[in-house]
């Protein structure tokens, strides 16, 4: 812990709010910048919330004037693959252009550390479905490209400035705070685990499987699902690494093994103790068949050890949160 402040963009969103909760628990000084377009005021459990957009220069400069920011954790982004296919410029504007403004103002303010939320979508369709950090980046959707361009800007800035970064490429994040205070709350969610849990609590009639003819063992898409608590812990470890003088690096955040859509839905049925109304549908645009992390580098570099590598635990916490949302007006 230091006297400095950590600026968390998107800290009212799903992953950002879990990281803020862990940072706050460690006694860190935090300022959250979030435009609340998909985030929730109530999700910010620590620090001060500034409502504003990451691309807003005046807002950023005001934050840098008021707070002694040494670290930025940059979550603010649009993250839905099919939405990026339908509205690419929104993704390049919100994700890429806004990140450029943030980097410019951060460099101007002398920020030393940057933890960037990137994505496995930068890999596109890696050979064999498994991606190492050295695997060529060939995104197949605008979301992945919007993040990859941000990675490049960060890399190039770090090469000519004192800024050091840890770029974290997230695989499929799921689950919620085990104590049930925060969770995935986005309306019109598209995430498989969220959609399936919404069906359990009666918010949806059915769950569609997008594609049953993929070259995977059961024909449905395979992903590396990582518990949001483990992912948040990776951010804490990245912060410690940078504070200890660690060099800029890019790390996959996944467990290194995957589950198919059918396996996830079966687990939801098992945990919920009910049957889902499952519909077999066409493939969704922009989806790779399989996406699994080569997950050794993050363990070696950060000493990160996942504590919740268990699909049942992931699904149980996601369902717990969905039941909470169904019972009270948390997200209203
Ligand atoms: C998620 C993330 C994306 C990240 C990617 C990394 C979000 C909103 N998306 O995307 O940012 O880059 O992981 O791998 O955070 N599926 C169904 N039915 C549904 C929903 C999904 O069959 O109703 C299938 C999809 O076709 C896919 C799998 O489930 O095979 C996972 O999809 P989803 O949960 O939407 O995540 P990704 O698109 O992989």
């Amino acid at each position: 812990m230091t006297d400095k402040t950590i600026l968390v963009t998107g800290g009212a969103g799903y992953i950002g709010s879990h990281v803020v909760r862990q940072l706050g628990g460690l006694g860190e000084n935090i300022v959250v910048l979030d435009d609340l377009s998909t985030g929730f005021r109530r999700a910010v459990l620590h620090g001060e919330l500034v409502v504003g957009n990451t691309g807003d220069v005046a807002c950023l400069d005001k934050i840098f004037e008021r707070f002694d920011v040494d670290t930025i954790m940059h979550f603010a982004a649009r993250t839905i693959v099919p939405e990026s296919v339908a509205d690419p410029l929104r993704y390049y504007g919100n994700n890429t252009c806004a990140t450029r403004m943030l980097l410019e103002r951060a460099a101007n303010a002398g920020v030393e550390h940057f933890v960037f939320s990137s994505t496995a979508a930068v890999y596109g369709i890696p050979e064999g479905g498994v991606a190492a950090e050295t695997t060529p980046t060939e995104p197949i959707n605008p979301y992945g490209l919007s993040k990859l361009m941000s990675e490049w800007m960060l890399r190039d800035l770090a090469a000519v400035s004192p800024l050091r970064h840890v770029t974290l490429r997230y695989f499929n994040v799921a689950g919620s705070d085990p104590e049930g205070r925060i969770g995935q709350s986005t309306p019109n969610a598209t995430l498989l685990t969220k959609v399936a849990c919404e069906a359990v609590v009666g918010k949806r009639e059915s769950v569609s499987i997008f594609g049953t003819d993929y070259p995977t063992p059961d024909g449905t898409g395979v992903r590396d699902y990582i518990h949001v608590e483990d992912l948040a812990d990776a951010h804490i470890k990245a912060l410690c690494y940078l504070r200890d003088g660690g060099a800029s690096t890019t790390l996959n955040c996944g467990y290194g093994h995957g589950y198919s859509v059918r396996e996830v839905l079966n687990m939801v049925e098992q945990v919920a103790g009910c049957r889902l109304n499952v519909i077999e549908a066409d493939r969704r645009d922009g989806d790779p068949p399989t996406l699994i992390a080569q997950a050794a580098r993050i363990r070696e570099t950060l000493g990160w050890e996942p504590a919740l590598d268990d699909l049942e635990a992931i699904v149980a916490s996601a369902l717990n949160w969905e039941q909470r949302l169904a019972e009270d007006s948390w997200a209203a």
Side-chain angles (χ1 to χ4, degrees):
M1 198 188 141
T2 71
D3 290 340
K4 306 274 184 175
T5 296
I6 301 171
L7 167 59
V8 183
T9 76
Y14 172 43
I15 301 168
S17 64
H18 284 78
V19 175
V20 166
R21 209 208 67 237
Q22 289 198 10
L23 288 171
L26 294 170
E28 296 287 347
N29 300 318
I30 303 159
V31 55
V32 169
L33 173 63
D34 198 301
D35 64 7
L36 301 181
S37 57
T38 54
F40 296 86
R41 197 178 284 277
R42 284 187 68 180
V44 181
L45 300 181
H46 297 276
E48 179 173 331
L49 169 65
V50 175
V51 179
N53 189 275
T54 307
D56 181 342
V57 175
C59 180
L60 289 171
D61 284 348
K62 223 179 268 171
I63 290 173
F64 292 127
E65 265 168 45
R66 280 185 57 213
F67 299 90
D68 187 7
V69 175
D70 73 329
T71 302
I72 295 177
M73 294 194 175
H74 179 34
F75 298 91
R78 306 288 312 174
T79 60
I80 300 173
V81 170
E83 187 181 69
S84 80
V85 175
D87 193 355
L89 294 187
R90 183 175 190 190
Y91 275 68
Y92 295 128
N94 205 78
N95 295 359
T96 316
C97 299
T99 300
R100 189 209 156 275
M101 296 318 304
L102 177 65
L103 287 174
E104 182 191 281
R105 302 329 294 160
N108 186 58
V111 172
E112 295 161 61
H113 314 134
F114 200 99
V115 181
F116 178 55
S117 302
S118 189
T119 170
V122 299
Y123 296 116
I125 306 181
E127 220 178 296
V130 180
E133 292 83 353
T134 48
T135 296
T137 45
E138 293 172 16
I140 58 164
N141 50 58
Y143 169 60
L145 188 51
S146 74
K147 288 284 189 172
L148 184 58
M149 288 193 281
S150 300
E151 284 195 12
W152 289 338
M153 289 189 291
L154 184 54
R155 176 199 64 194
D156 294 347
L157 176 64
V160 293
S161 75
L163 184 93
R164 284 173 294 113
H165 69 89
V166 173
T167 293
L168 297 175
R169 291 179 175 161
Y170 306 162
F171 283 66
N172 284 60
V173 190
S176 68
D177 168 26
E179 291 180 40
R181 290 162 293 186
I182 47 177
Q184 230 294 353
S185 311
T186 325
N188 309 316
T190 55
L191 280 176
L192 178 65
T193 44
K194 170 96 179 155
V195 166
C197 291
E198 285 183 348
V200 170
V201 302
K203 267 195 199 163
R204 290 174 191 257
E205 297 272 295
S206 60
V207 184
S208 295
I209 299 182
F210 296 135
T212 52
D213 60 349
Y214 282 110
T216 59
D218 68 14
T220 68
V222 173
R223 295 289 184 279
D224 189 335
Y225 293 90
I226 172 172
H227 198 299
V228 68
E229 280 292 291
D230 276 339
L231 182 67
D233 179 54
H235 289 74
I236 306 296
K237 300 270 189 313
L239 174 68
C240 296
Y241 168 85
L242 287 169
R243 282 185 178 160
D244 288 347
S248 293
T249 188
T250 298
L251 305 170
N252 282 344
C253 291
Y255 291 144
H257 56 85
Y259 295 98
S260 71
V261 175
R262 284 195 205 280
E263 286 173 318
V264 171
L265 297 183
N266 288 344
M267 183 57 81
V268 171
E269 289 184 335
Q270 186 187 311
V271 171
C274 67
R275 294 306 300 267
L276 294 167
N277 179 16
V278 174
I279 295 170
E280 296 193 356
D282 291 340
R283 292 183 179 193
R284 192 174 68 174
D285 281 346
D287 275 349
T290 300
L291 201 47
I292 295 172
Q294 242 270 28
R297 192 193 273 185
I298 186 168
R299 293 168 193 246
E300 286 157 15
T301 310
L302 302 184
W304 175 75
E305 281 300 330
L308 294 159
D309 177 0
D310 175 16
L311 185 61
E312 188 172 349
I314 291 174
V315 166
S317 75
L319 188 56
N320 185 36
W321 178 248
E322 212 50 57
Q323 282 160 339
R324 158 111 205 257
L325 282 181
E327 280 158 18
D328 74 19
S329 55
W330 191 93

